[in-house]
Amino acid sequence: GEDVEQSLFLSVREGDSSVINCTYTDSSSTYLYWYKQEPGAGLQLLTYIFSNMDMKQDQRLTVLLNKKDKHLSLRIADTQTGDSAIYFCAEMFNAGKSTFGDGTTLTVKP
Amino acid sequence: DVKVTQSSRYLVKRTGEKVFLECVQDMDHENMFWYRQDPGLGLRLIYFSYDVKMKEKGDIPEGYSVSREKKERFSLILESASTNQTSMYLCASSDTSGSPYEQFFGPGTRLTVL
């Protein structure tokens, strides 16, 4: 079955780069996503990458996709305290339904 | 501004009670989902619906049922609440047309079953 795995915790200092990693198992995934969940809120789409791409950059965010290893990463440059949140990796393999990872809690220390 | 709303932010119920969690979206989305979120377990799909009156089981449907009588509303029902159903419940919706098919989430309902 489909499975998405992430490490549970990451702690960085303000101004450093953060890298959150994810592995997935379904090679037929069409989209891969990063969602952000701030305290007390639902998830919100942060960025996504189509499965035929290797990289996507959006301001401070860089998404890298290694299809051979089924590995997805999210890099946040110049991490700020406002980036503290839970980050979920997700894959979509048919229209609408996605499988989510367990979430990585990012803590940014001043 | 797109919106998914859930009927309650916090709910406290007793074991054995019937519990209704309501979710409404205003985006005319076909798909709607119910998840539960537990520490260390991420999001687990309970049920989803891809059309009015249609439903499919997710990964953990036991102890739950759903109802979708109108396109904008998707209800999660706990027939007889148990303490192991204490959790955060998240509703989401998505469109079937137009990438990237992202899911839009409500703020969540934190349910405590005593």
Side-chain angles (χ1 to χ4, degrees):
Chain A
E2 304 83 16
D3 200 10
V4 178
E5 294 188 353
Q6 325 175 216
S7 54
L8 291 182
F9 301 99
L10 176 66
S11 180
V12 300
R13 293 222 170 265
E14 193 172 18
D16 288 350
S17 291
S18 307
V19 179
I20 303 172
N21 294 300
C22 168
T23 57
Y24 61 98
T25 57
D26 195 324
S27 58
S28 63
S29 299
T30 51
Y31 285 94
L32 293 128
Y33 309 91
W34 285 104
Y35 285 83
K36 179 182 181 182
Q37 184 182 33
E38 296 186 351
L43 282 68
Q44 192 165 15
L45 184 69
L46 192 61
T47 187
Y48 68 95
I49 189 166
F50 191 53
S51 58
N52 68 355
M53 297 169 65
D54 297 322
M55 186 182 90
K56 180 179 180 182
Q57 189 144 6
D58 183 3
Q59 298 182 329
R60 292 190 296 122
L61 306 178
T62 304
V63 179
L64 295 177
L65 176 60
N66 180 329
K67 288 182 285 293
K68 174 176 170 289
D69 295 336
K70 297 190 181 71
H71 183 265
L72 182 74
S73 68
L74 172 70
R75 179 176 180 269
I76 305 172
D78 188 24
T79 313
Q80 302 297 306
T81 54
D83 295 323
S84 293
I86 304 175
Y87 291 82
F88 290 89
C89 170
E91 60 175 342
M92 189 190 78
F93 47 90
N94 61 32
K97 190 179 169 193
S98 291
T99 299
F100 289 81
D102 292 346
T104 298
T105 299
L106 173 64
T107 302
V108 183
K109 298 180 180 177
Chain B
D1 194 20
V2 296
K3 211 162 188 179
V4 178
T5 56
Q6 295 183 227
S7 50
S8 306
R9 291 300 304 270
Y10 301 93
L11 209 53
V12 180
K13 295 291 181 180
R14 295 208 173 271
T15 302
E17 281 192 75
K18 190 169 186 176
V19 182
F20 293 87
L21 303 182
E22 306 284 342
C23 175
V24 177
Q25 51 97 1
D26 64 0
M27 296 164 281
D28 201 36
H29 284 169
E30 289 83 6
N31 298 326
M32 294 189 76
F33 308 84
W34 274 107
Y35 298 90
R36 63 177 283 176
Q37 181 179 13
D38 300 288
L41 296 176
L43 264 65
R44 292 181 290 167
L45 182 64
I46 304 171
Y47 268 97
F48 69 101
S49 168
Y50 51 88
D51 202 350
V52 176
K53 296 193 186 295
M54 306 300 286
K55 61 185 178 184
E56 285 199 25
K57 293 179 180 179
D59 301 317
I60 51 163
E62 296 78 19
Y64 303 94
S65 62
V66 290
S67 172
R68 192 160 180 208
E69 296 296 317
K70 294 185 177 181
K71 191 175 185 181
E72 68 271 17
R73 188 179 297 268
F74 192 35
S75 303
L76 180 69
I77 303 152
L78 286 66
E79 295 289 342
S80 177
S82 63
T83 54
N84 63 12
Q85 292 179 310
T86 291
S87 186
M88 170 70 86
Y89 290 88
L90 292 168
C91 174
S93 71
S94 71
D95 199 356
T96 53
S97 60
S99 63
Y101 309 105
E102 69 182 282
Q103 293 190 19
F104 293 86
F105 284 81
T109 296
R110 185 165 294 281
L111 173 67
T112 302
V113 182
L114 302 175

Short mmCIF file of all heavy atoms in Angstrom, two decimals, chain A residues 8 30-31 33 35 37 40-45 48 86 88 92 95-98 100-103, chain B residues 9 31 33 35 37 40-43 45 48 57 90 94 96 99-103 105-108:
data_model
loop_
_atom_site.label_atom_id
_atom_site.label_comp_id
_atom_site.label_asym_id
_atom_site.label_seq_id
_atom_site.Cartn_x
_atom_site.Cartn_y
_atom_site.Cartn_z
N LEU A 8 10.13 13.12 12.55
CA LEU A 8 9.10 13.81 13.33
C LEU A 8 9.51 15.21 13.79
O LEU A 8 8.64 16.05 13.99
CB LEU A 8 8.71 12.97 14.54
CG LEU A 8 7.96 11.67 14.25
CD1 LEU A 8 7.59 10.97 15.54
CD2 LEU A 8 6.70 11.93 13.42
N THR A 30 1.16 11.57 -9.08
CA THR A 30 1.21 12.63 -10.09
C THR A 30 1.66 13.96 -9.49
O THR A 30 2.35 14.73 -10.14
CB THR A 30 -0.18 12.80 -10.73
OG1 THR A 30 -1.15 12.94 -9.70
CG2 THR A 30 -0.51 11.61 -11.60
N TYR A 31 1.25 14.23 -8.27
CA TYR A 31 1.65 15.45 -7.58
C TYR A 31 2.20 15.09 -6.21
O TYR A 31 1.72 14.14 -5.57
CB TYR A 31 0.46 16.39 -7.38
CG TYR A 31 0.02 17.10 -8.63
CD1 TYR A 31 -0.99 16.58 -9.42
CD2 TYR A 31 0.60 18.30 -9.00
CE1 TYR A 31 -1.40 17.23 -10.57
CE2 TYR A 31 0.19 18.97 -10.15
CZ TYR A 31 -0.80 18.42 -10.92
OH TYR A 31 -1.20 19.07 -12.05
N TYR A 33 3.17 17.15 -2.52
CA TYR A 33 2.84 18.40 -1.87
C TYR A 33 3.60 18.57 -0.55
O TYR A 33 3.97 17.59 0.10
CB TYR A 33 1.34 18.43 -1.52
CG TYR A 33 0.38 18.11 -2.62
CD1 TYR A 33 -0.05 16.81 -2.84
CD2 TYR A 33 -0.15 19.12 -3.42
CE1 TYR A 33 -0.96 16.52 -3.84
CE2 TYR A 33 -1.07 18.83 -4.43
CZ TYR A 33 -1.47 17.53 -4.62
OH TYR A 33 -2.37 17.24 -5.60
N TYR A 35 2.44 20.64 2.84
CA TYR A 35 1.45 21.42 3.56
C TYR A 35 2.06 21.91 4.86
O TYR A 35 2.90 21.24 5.46
CB TYR A 35 0.22 20.56 3.90
CG TYR A 35 -0.71 20.26 2.75
CD1 TYR A 35 -0.45 19.21 1.87
CD2 TYR A 35 -1.89 21.00 2.56
CE1 TYR A 35 -1.32 18.91 0.83
CE2 TYR A 35 -2.76 20.70 1.52
CZ TYR A 35 -2.46 19.66 0.67
OH TYR A 35 -3.33 19.37 -0.36
N GLN A 37 1.04 23.33 8.79
CA GLN A 37 0.00 23.45 9.80
C GLN A 37 0.53 24.29 10.96
O GLN A 37 1.44 23.86 11.68
CB GLN A 37 -0.45 22.08 10.32
CG GLN A 37 -1.61 22.17 11.30
CD GLN A 37 -2.02 20.82 11.84
OE1 GLN A 37 -1.21 19.92 12.01
NE2 GLN A 37 -3.31 20.65 12.12
N GLY A 40 -3.10 25.24 16.17
CA GLY A 40 -4.53 25.50 16.27
C GLY A 40 -5.25 25.66 14.94
O GLY A 40 -6.42 26.08 14.93
N ALA A 41 -4.59 25.34 13.85
CA ALA A 41 -5.20 25.55 12.54
C ALA A 41 -5.18 24.27 11.72
O ALA A 41 -4.50 23.30 12.06
CB ALA A 41 -4.45 26.66 11.79
N GLY A 42 -5.93 24.29 10.63
CA GLY A 42 -5.87 23.18 9.69
C GLY A 42 -4.64 23.30 8.80
O GLY A 42 -3.84 24.22 8.94
N LEU A 43 -4.49 22.36 7.89
CA LEU A 43 -3.34 22.39 6.98
C LEU A 43 -3.59 23.38 5.84
O LEU A 43 -4.74 23.58 5.42
CB LEU A 43 -3.10 21.00 6.38
CG LEU A 43 -2.42 19.96 7.24
CD1 LEU A 43 -3.26 19.52 8.41
CD2 LEU A 43 -2.02 18.76 6.39
N GLN A 44 -2.51 23.92 5.33
CA GLN A 44 -2.59 24.83 4.21
C GLN A 44 -1.48 24.47 3.23
O GLN A 44 -0.34 24.23 3.65
CB GLN A 44 -2.43 26.27 4.69
CG GLN A 44 -2.79 27.31 3.67
CD GLN A 44 -2.95 28.68 4.28
OE1 GLN A 44 -2.53 28.93 5.41
NE2 GLN A 44 -3.57 29.59 3.56
N LEU A 45 -1.83 24.43 1.94
CA LEU A 45 -0.82 24.09 0.94
C LEU A 45 0.28 25.13 0.92
O LEU A 45 0.02 26.32 0.80
CB LEU A 45 -1.46 23.98 -0.45
CG LEU A 45 -0.50 23.54 -1.55
CD1 LEU A 45 -0.09 22.09 -1.36
CD2 LEU A 45 -1.13 23.73 -2.93
N TYR A 48 3.96 22.70 -4.13
CA TYR A 48 3.77 21.38 -4.70
C TYR A 48 4.71 21.22 -5.88
O TYR A 48 5.28 22.20 -6.38
CB TYR A 48 2.32 21.19 -5.17
CG TYR A 48 1.95 22.05 -6.37
CD1 TYR A 48 2.03 21.57 -7.66
CD2 TYR A 48 1.54 23.37 -6.17
CE1 TYR A 48 1.72 22.37 -8.74
CE2 TYR A 48 1.22 24.17 -7.24
CZ TYR A 48 1.31 23.67 -8.53
OH TYR A 48 0.99 24.47 -9.59
N ILE A 86 4.11 22.54 11.81
CA ILE A 86 4.25 21.14 11.39
C ILE A 86 4.14 21.12 9.87
O ILE A 86 3.24 21.73 9.29
CB ILE A 86 3.15 20.25 12.02
CG1 ILE A 86 3.16 20.37 13.53
CG2 ILE A 86 3.36 18.79 11.59
CD1 ILE A 86 2.02 19.61 14.21
N PHE A 88 3.78 18.78 6.49
CA PHE A 88 3.35 17.47 6.01
C PHE A 88 3.71 17.30 4.54
O PHE A 88 3.41 18.16 3.72
CB PHE A 88 1.83 17.31 6.14
CG PHE A 88 1.33 17.19 7.55
CD1 PHE A 88 1.01 18.31 8.27
CD2 PHE A 88 1.20 15.94 8.13
CE1 PHE A 88 0.55 18.20 9.58
CE2 PHE A 88 0.74 15.81 9.43
CZ PHE A 88 0.41 16.95 10.15
N MET A 92 -0.26 12.47 -4.24
CA MET A 92 -1.56 12.21 -4.83
C MET A 92 -1.38 11.24 -5.98
O MET A 92 -0.54 11.44 -6.84
CB MET A 92 -2.21 13.48 -5.36
CG MET A 92 -3.66 13.27 -5.78
SD MET A 92 -4.35 14.65 -6.66
CE MET A 92 -3.63 14.37 -8.26
N ALA A 95 -7.12 11.39 -8.81
CA ALA A 95 -7.68 12.74 -8.69
C ALA A 95 -8.34 12.96 -7.34
O ALA A 95 -9.37 12.38 -7.02
CB ALA A 95 -8.70 12.98 -9.80
N GLY A 96 -7.70 13.80 -6.53
CA GLY A 96 -8.31 14.21 -5.28
C GLY A 96 -7.79 13.54 -4.04
O GLY A 96 -7.56 14.20 -3.03
N LYS A 97 -7.57 12.23 -4.05
CA LYS A 97 -7.20 11.54 -2.81
C LYS A 97 -5.69 11.59 -2.63
O LYS A 97 -4.93 11.31 -3.55
CB LYS A 97 -7.67 10.09 -2.87
CG LYS A 97 -7.54 9.36 -1.56
CD LYS A 97 -8.06 7.94 -1.70
CE LYS A 97 -7.68 7.12 -0.47
NZ LYS A 97 -7.88 5.69 -0.68
N SER A 98 -5.25 11.96 -1.42
CA SER A 98 -3.83 12.05 -1.12
C SER A 98 -3.48 11.21 0.11
O SER A 98 -4.34 10.97 0.95
CB SER A 98 -3.43 13.50 -0.84
OG SER A 98 -3.50 14.29 -2.01
N PHE A 100 -0.87 11.30 3.33
CA PHE A 100 -0.04 12.25 4.06
C PHE A 100 0.97 11.52 4.93
O PHE A 100 0.70 10.44 5.45
CB PHE A 100 -0.92 13.12 4.97
CG PHE A 100 -1.78 14.10 4.22
CD1 PHE A 100 -2.96 13.70 3.64
CD2 PHE A 100 -1.40 15.42 4.11
CE1 PHE A 100 -3.75 14.59 2.93
CE2 PHE A 100 -2.18 16.33 3.42
CZ PHE A 100 -3.36 15.91 2.83
N GLY A 101 2.13 12.15 5.10
CA GLY A 101 3.10 11.66 6.06
C GLY A 101 2.67 12.03 7.47
O GLY A 101 1.63 12.65 7.69
N ASP A 102 3.51 11.65 8.45
CA ASP A 102 3.17 11.89 9.85
C ASP A 102 3.42 13.33 10.29
O ASP A 102 3.02 13.73 11.37
CB ASP A 102 3.97 10.96 10.76
CG ASP A 102 3.53 9.52 10.60
OD1 ASP A 102 2.45 9.30 10.00
OD2 ASP A 102 4.26 8.62 11.05
N GLY A 103 4.11 14.11 9.44
CA GLY A 103 4.38 15.50 9.79
C GLY A 103 5.71 15.67 10.51
O GLY A 103 6.08 14.86 11.36
N ARG B 9 -15.10 23.98 17.32
CA ARG B 9 -13.65 23.89 17.49
C ARG B 9 -13.30 22.89 18.58
O ARG B 9 -12.31 22.18 18.50
CB ARG B 9 -13.05 25.25 17.86
CG ARG B 9 -13.10 26.29 16.75
CD ARG B 9 -12.35 25.84 15.51
NE ARG B 9 -10.97 25.49 15.74
CZ ARG B 9 -9.95 26.34 15.67
NH1 ARG B 9 -10.16 27.60 15.38
NH2 ARG B 9 -8.71 25.93 15.86
N ASN B 31 -15.02 16.75 -4.13
CA ASN B 31 -14.45 15.83 -3.13
C ASN B 31 -14.48 16.43 -1.73
O ASN B 31 -14.17 17.61 -1.55
CB ASN B 31 -12.98 15.53 -3.45
CG ASN B 31 -12.81 14.85 -4.79
OD1 ASN B 31 -13.65 14.06 -5.21
ND2 ASN B 31 -11.71 15.14 -5.45
N PHE B 33 -13.42 15.18 2.52
CA PHE B 33 -12.65 14.18 3.28
C PHE B 33 -12.81 14.43 4.78
O PHE B 33 -12.92 15.57 5.21
CB PHE B 33 -11.15 14.31 2.95
CG PHE B 33 -10.82 14.29 1.49
CD1 PHE B 33 -10.88 15.45 0.74
CD2 PHE B 33 -10.43 13.13 0.87
CE1 PHE B 33 -10.57 15.46 -0.61
CE2 PHE B 33 -10.11 13.11 -0.48
CZ PHE B 33 -10.18 14.29 -1.22
N TYR B 35 -10.51 13.37 8.18
CA TYR B 35 -9.29 12.79 8.73
C TYR B 35 -9.33 12.91 10.25
O TYR B 35 -9.98 13.80 10.79
CB TYR B 35 -8.05 13.57 8.27
CG TYR B 35 -7.78 13.59 6.79
CD1 TYR B 35 -8.32 14.59 5.98
CD2 TYR B 35 -6.96 12.64 6.21
CE1 TYR B 35 -8.04 14.63 4.62
CE2 TYR B 35 -6.67 12.67 4.85
CZ TYR B 35 -7.21 13.67 4.07
OH TYR B 35 -6.94 13.70 2.73
N GLN B 37 -6.33 13.36 13.31
CA GLN B 37 -4.92 13.67 13.49
C GLN B 37 -4.53 13.37 14.92
O GLN B 37 -5.10 13.94 15.86
CB GLN B 37 -4.64 15.15 13.17
CG GLN B 37 -3.18 15.53 13.32
CD GLN B 37 -2.91 16.98 12.99
OE1 GLN B 37 -3.83 17.79 12.87
NE2 GLN B 37 -1.66 17.32 12.82
N GLY B 40 2.18 11.87 16.36
CA GLY B 40 3.03 10.77 15.90
C GLY B 40 2.41 9.88 14.86
O GLY B 40 3.08 9.01 14.30
N LEU B 41 1.12 10.09 14.57
CA LEU B 41 0.43 9.25 13.58
C LEU B 41 0.01 10.03 12.34
O LEU B 41 -0.55 9.47 11.40
CB LEU B 41 -0.80 8.58 14.20
CG LEU B 41 -0.52 7.60 15.34
CD1 LEU B 41 -1.83 7.09 15.93
CD2 LEU B 41 0.34 6.43 14.84
N GLY B 42 0.24 11.33 12.37
CA GLY B 42 -0.10 12.14 11.20
C GLY B 42 -1.58 12.21 10.94
O GLY B 42 -2.39 12.14 11.86
N LEU B 43 -1.93 12.34 9.67
CA LEU B 43 -3.34 12.38 9.25
C LEU B 43 -3.74 11.01 8.75
O LEU B 43 -3.07 10.43 7.89
CB LEU B 43 -3.52 13.39 8.11
CG LEU B 43 -3.98 14.78 8.48
CD1 LEU B 43 -2.93 15.48 9.30
CD2 LEU B 43 -4.28 15.58 7.22
N LEU B 45 -6.97 8.94 7.01
CA LEU B 45 -8.22 9.16 6.31
C LEU B 45 -9.30 8.23 6.86
O LEU B 45 -9.12 7.02 6.90
CB LEU B 45 -8.03 8.92 4.81
CG LEU B 45 -9.23 9.14 3.92
CD1 LEU B 45 -9.67 10.60 3.94
CD2 LEU B 45 -8.92 8.70 2.49
N PHE B 48 -14.06 9.39 2.64
CA PHE B 48 -14.14 10.49 1.70
C PHE B 48 -15.34 10.31 0.78
O PHE B 48 -15.92 9.22 0.68
CB PHE B 48 -12.83 10.66 0.93
CG PHE B 48 -12.50 9.56 -0.03
CD1 PHE B 48 -12.72 9.71 -1.40
CD2 PHE B 48 -11.93 8.37 0.40
CE1 PHE B 48 -12.40 8.70 -2.28
CE2 PHE B 48 -11.60 7.37 -0.48
CZ PHE B 48 -11.83 7.54 -1.82
N LYS B 57 -14.77 4.25 2.04
CA LYS B 57 -14.01 4.09 3.25
C LYS B 57 -12.55 4.48 3.03
O LYS B 57 -11.98 4.23 1.96
CB LYS B 57 -14.07 2.64 3.72
CG LYS B 57 -15.44 2.20 4.18
CD LYS B 57 -15.44 0.74 4.62
CE LYS B 57 -16.83 0.32 5.06
NZ LYS B 57 -16.86 -1.11 5.47
N LEU B 90 -10.19 16.63 11.23
CA LEU B 90 -10.02 17.63 10.18
C LEU B 90 -10.86 17.26 8.97
O LEU B 90 -10.82 16.12 8.51
CB LEU B 90 -8.56 17.72 9.77
CG LEU B 90 -7.59 18.30 10.80
CD1 LEU B 90 -6.16 18.07 10.38
CD2 LEU B 90 -7.83 19.78 11.01
N SER B 94 -11.66 19.21 -2.04
CA SER B 94 -10.82 19.48 -3.20
C SER B 94 -11.65 19.41 -4.47
O SER B 94 -12.72 18.79 -4.50
CB SER B 94 -9.64 18.50 -3.28
OG SER B 94 -10.07 17.21 -3.63
N THR B 96 -12.04 18.40 -8.54
CA THR B 96 -11.54 17.34 -9.42
C THR B 96 -11.02 17.90 -10.75
O THR B 96 -10.46 17.17 -11.55
CB THR B 96 -12.65 16.32 -9.74
OG1 THR B 96 -13.79 17.03 -10.23
CG2 THR B 96 -13.03 15.54 -8.51
N SER B 99 -5.40 21.51 -11.87
CA SER B 99 -4.32 21.19 -10.93
C SER B 99 -4.09 22.36 -9.99
O SER B 99 -4.46 23.50 -10.31
CB SER B 99 -3.05 20.88 -11.72
OG SER B 99 -2.64 22.01 -12.46
N PRO B 100 -3.42 22.18 -8.87
CA PRO B 100 -2.80 20.92 -8.46
C PRO B 100 -3.67 20.04 -7.57
O PRO B 100 -3.15 19.20 -6.86
CB PRO B 100 -1.57 21.41 -7.70
CG PRO B 100 -2.05 22.64 -7.00
CD PRO B 100 -3.02 23.28 -7.96
N TYR B 101 -4.96 20.19 -7.63
CA TYR B 101 -5.88 19.34 -6.86
C TYR B 101 -5.59 19.38 -5.36
O TYR B 101 -5.77 18.39 -4.66
CB TYR B 101 -5.80 17.87 -7.34
CG TYR B 101 -5.95 17.72 -8.83
CD1 TYR B 101 -4.84 17.43 -9.63
CD2 TYR B 101 -7.18 17.87 -9.45
CE1 TYR B 101 -4.98 17.30 -11.00
CE2 TYR B 101 -7.32 17.73 -10.82
CZ TYR B 101 -6.21 17.45 -11.59
OH TYR B 101 -6.34 17.32 -12.94
N GLU B 102 -5.19 20.53 -4.89
CA GLU B 102 -4.87 20.63 -3.48
C GLU B 102 -6.11 20.45 -2.63
O GLU B 102 -7.24 20.69 -3.06
CB GLU B 102 -4.24 21.98 -3.17
CG GLU B 102 -5.24 23.12 -3.31
CD GLU B 102 -4.61 24.47 -3.05
OE1 GLU B 102 -4.40 24.82 -1.88
OE2 GLU B 102 -4.35 25.16 -4.05
N GLN B 103 -5.89 20.05 -1.39
CA GLN B 103 -7.00 19.94 -0.45
C GLN B 103 -7.03 21.20 0.42
O GLN B 103 -5.99 21.70 0.87
CB GLN B 103 -6.84 18.70 0.42
CG GLN B 103 -6.98 17.42 -0.40
CD GLN B 103 -7.07 16.16 0.44
OE1 GLN B 103 -7.37 16.20 1.62
NE2 GLN B 103 -6.82 15.03 -0.20
N PHE B 105 -8.39 22.73 3.92
CA PHE B 105 -8.75 22.18 5.22
C PHE B 105 -9.53 23.16 6.08
O PHE B 105 -9.30 24.38 6.03
CB PHE B 105 -7.48 21.77 5.99
CG PHE B 105 -6.87 20.50 5.50
CD1 PHE B 105 -6.06 20.48 4.38
CD2 PHE B 105 -7.12 19.30 6.16
CE1 PHE B 105 -5.50 19.29 3.92
CE2 PHE B 105 -6.57 18.11 5.72
CZ PHE B 105 -5.76 18.11 4.59
N GLY B 106 -10.42 22.61 6.89
CA GLY B 106 -11.05 23.38 7.94
C GLY B 106 -10.12 23.52 9.12
O GLY B 106 -9.03 22.92 9.15
N PRO B 107 -10.51 24.27 10.15
CA PRO B 107 -9.65 24.52 11.30
C PRO B 107 -9.55 23.35 12.27
O PRO B 107 -8.69 23.35 13.15
CB PRO B 107 -10.30 25.72 11.99
CG PRO B 107 -11.74 25.62 11.62
CD PRO B 107 -11.77 25.05 10.23
N GLY B 108 -10.42 22.36 12.12
CA GLY B 108 -10.36 21.18 12.98
C GLY B 108 -11.34 21.26 14.15
O GLY B 108 -11.71 22.35 14.60
#
